[in-house]
Amino acid sequence: MSRQDPFSLVDLAAQSLLSDEDSIVRALEDLPVDLFPTLSIAAFDGGHTKTVTAIVQAWPFPCLHLGSLRDQSITQDLLEAVLDGLELVPTNTACPRRSKLKVLDFTHDFECSNWEECSETSPVPFTITHMLEEPETDQLMPNSREQPQCDREPVEIHTDLFLDGLFGFFHLSGFPLYILQRVEKSHGCLRLCCRTLVINQVPFHSLVEILGVLELEAIRELRLHHRNRFCFQSDLIRFFTQVGQMSNLGNLTMSHIPWDFPADCFSLLSPLGHLQKLHLIFGCLSGQLHKMLSLQKPLETLVINGCRLTENDITYLSQSIHAARLKELVLCSNNLSETVPGPLEVLLAEVSGTLQHLNLRSCRLKEAQLRALLPVLCCCFCLRSLVFFDNVISTSGIMNVLQHLAGLKELKRVQYPIPAECVVYLDEYRWENINRVELARVHTKLQEMLQALQRADMELTNSTSMA
């Protein structure tokens, strides 16, 4: 909630009402519905905690959106007032008007012309500008959910959580801890629905406890970054079991995971029936891709970055249920030099009917291997972008690729490697001493060639223009 426009008569009336909090609490019963948004903004801006609690208790709409609070200095008193309003039942002497609130939204700042509707928009992180006071109670306990259940319909709190650890240590604090503990103490009156959950370096035993408080079916995106190899197998199995219960999860990113985890852990992800995007980044996945892709429904996006894929992994992928449905395939920073001719060609043939984005950056592909891939690439009629930079290719090799692919009318963006004549390659991944004058000449030559092929609409970039 925020106000950027000059004060109106309604705003001034709200300010006048707030001068006597006891009176305004009693007046909420007869307050016109249209005045609630204006009054709530004034109450939040002025830090009128008693009025905030009463407004939440009498809120006449299904959704109360507080996303823009992330841009303000939020006091713990204000957050307590909001949550008190969600949990406390108003007395007859205060405001008998019954709240219609079902969703308290901390996810995205939007302008809603109809306050009676809950707008579904892309979530944006809720952040606190300063650390809240630490609650006096202990950290989350595994058995804390064994409490009496709420006797009324619960209110959902929609927010996004970003949990950070350091060197394997994790201490939950601030807004996440406060919200989690209030949800635990609410006896089921509050449900915490986290749509985006980002986890960085948090021990698995702590994650299991936190996920035990969240409504797992509400999570749409999970990003897990973990480098610590010291963990108990029991914690891993419990964690992956919880992830497998995220029935509406659509986007899963797993980065720097030690891929020597027990195979049983990955098989626990198979129930994810709505998963469309899977990102696997920098892990030793050699020969184990089949464990991660044992899903019941095909993916649309598959990113496998720096995971040491083998020929068997590429072969498995080409035979999997995912191949015929993939729209985006990223295989960058994997050594694919041994897969051409052979498995990589077969894979590209399988995805040719749907593939829109292909990334083969830093795959140690030589010019002859790229040439061998051209016939199958020419059949990818849906292809919109192609990335193949950081492979050692000559100017003539790049021109050959573009000439063959010029017939793909949907192909609009190509990121090509620095030609071998323009740089000194130290190995397949590193180079130095770029001849920028020659590189500029080559780029102009490529653009002129595309213009002659009536493909001036194709955008060309290389690694230097993206730096």
Side-chain angles (χ1 to χ4, degrees), residues 164-208:
D164 252 320
L166 182 64
F167 303 119
F169 297 97
F170 175 67
H171 178 69
L172 191 63
S173 62
F175 176 76
L177 176 60
Y178 184 72
I179 289 291
L180 287 168
Q181 291 190 332
R182 287 296 296 259
V183 170
E184 282 193 307
K185 295 177 181 179
S186 71
H187 296 184
C189 292
L190 303 179
R191 297 177 59 201
L192 185 55
C193 299
C194 174
R195 298 183 182 181
T196 298
L197 177 59
V198 180
I199 303 166
N200 183 36
Q201 301 289 77
V202 178
F204 282 102
H205 65 85
S206 298
L207 293 180
V208 169

Side-chain angles (χ1 to χ4, degrees), residues 127-138:
T127 57
I128 297 292
T129 56
H130 63 280
M131 188 67 71
L132 298 177
E133 296 176 9
E134 292 291 337
E136 296 179 359
T137 55
D138 296 331

